[in-house]
């Protein structure tokens, strides 16, 4: 299987489609809720002009996804993979957001598991950038078995650098965790 940073991925809860320019209005309809962004590094992404910059960065990344709720066909949010490093055999996941209707419903876990299952066919380590103030995401990524390994200033596309925590999951840890859960 060849490695792509924008495959279409699917499990019982979600479908991840490569993000397209034509998705802007529908994704902004989800992203326009200020509550989504309260803990994110840039908490005014609910504003259309600010979200446009975020979306443009997603498009330029060539690793962004539209997350669709498989049961309803509704857009649940977006995520992306980026900074593939062949030398270190690693990649990052970040820029994830969900409509508040999906908070606590298991879709984040399902989406991250889908991404990790795919990525660990191609890399041995996956890192996550999570805003220093995004307690909700820090708890969620810890539940997947990721461990905080550093802190880093991250310059988001078109935005000033913000403090992020870097979390990591190694392939062997993910596979052991899945085997234990089975």
């Amino acid at each position: 299987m060849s490695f792509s940073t924008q495959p279409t991925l699917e499990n019982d809860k979600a479908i991840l489609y490569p993000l397209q320019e034509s998705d802007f209005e529908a994704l902004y309809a989800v992203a326009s809720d200020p509550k989504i962004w309260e803990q994110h590094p840039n908490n005014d992404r609910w504003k259309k002009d600010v979200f446009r910059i975020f979306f443009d960065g997603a498009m330029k990344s060539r690793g962004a996804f539209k997350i669709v709720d498989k049961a309803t066909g509704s857009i649940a949010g977006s995520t992306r993979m980026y900074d593939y490093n062949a030398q270190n055999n690693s990649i990052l996941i970040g820029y994830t957001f969900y409509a508040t209707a999906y908070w606590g419903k298991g879709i984040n876990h399902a989406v991250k598991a889908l991404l990790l299952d795919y990525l660990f066919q191609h890399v041995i380590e996956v890192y996550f950038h999570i805003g220093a103030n995004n307690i909700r995401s820090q708890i969620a990524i810890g539940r997947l078995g990721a461990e905080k390994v550093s802190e880093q200033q991250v310059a988001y596309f078109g935005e000033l650098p913000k403090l992020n925590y870097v979390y990591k999951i190694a392939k062997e840890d993910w596979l052991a965790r899945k085997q234990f859960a089975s």
Side-chain angles (χ1 to χ4, degrees):
M1 172 190 291
S2 66
F3 178 58
S4 168
T5 56
Q6 274 191 312
T8 298
L9 300 172
E10 181 176 349
N11 62 17
D12 62 328
K13 287 195 174 269
I15 306 171
L16 276 62
Y17 293 106
L19 192 65
Q20 304 292 317
E21 182 62 41
S22 59
D23 294 323
F24 178 79
E25 290 297 334
L27 193 58
Y28 177 67
V30 173
S32 63
D33 179 353
K35 185 148 186 71
I36 292 171
W37 305 103
E38 286 177 344
Q39 293 185 23
H40 281 255
N42 186 343
N43 57 17
D44 64 351
R45 286 188 188 136
W46 59 272
K47 298 175 183 174
K48 195 168 194 173
D49 59 329
V50 178
F51 185 75
R52 181 78 231 185
I53 294 168
F54 177 83
F55 187 88
D56 289 348
M59 292 302 299
K60 287 182 192 289
S61 77
R62 294 192 201 118
F65 297 91
K66 169 178 69 174
I67 301 166
V68 174
D69 177 342
K70 191 168 178 180
T72 67
S74 299
I75 296 176
S78 182
T79 192
R80 68 180 98 151
M81 57 176 88
Y82 55 99
D83 289 355
Y84 170 64
N85 185 321
Q87 184 176 345
N88 292 338
N89 205 5
S90 67
I91 197 163
L92 277 131
I93 295 174
Y95 299 90
T96 305
F97 72 91
Y98 295 98
T100 57
Y102 291 97
W103 292 3
K105 305 286 194 253
I107 196 144
N108 183 53
H109 187 279
V111 166
K112 294 296 192 300
L114 191 57
L115 287 167
L116 291 168
D117 287 344
Y118 171 74
L119 289 170
F120 283 135
Q121 296 174 53
H122 306 284
V123 300
I124 60 169
E125 294 177 331
V126 176
Y127 292 87
F128 302 82
H129 281 144
I130 299 178
N133 296 322
N134 195 337
I135 306 303
R136 187 172 29 256
S137 292
Q138 292 169 31
I139 291 168
I141 205 65
R143 288 182 181 146
L144 281 171
E147 295 183 8
K148 182 181 172 190
V149 294
S150 68
E151 297 181 8
Q152 179 182 8
Q153 291 289 326
V154 175
Y156 293 99
F157 178 84
E159 300 176 5
L160 295 174
K162 304 282 174 122
L163 180 62
N164 276 245
Y165 295 160
V166 181
Y167 286 77
K168 178 181 94 167
I169 297 178
K171 180 178 182 175
E172 69 260 11
D173 295 335
W174 177 248
L175 294 176
R177 188 175 185 86
K178 283 187 63 165
Q179 184 178 12
F180 181 72
S182 299

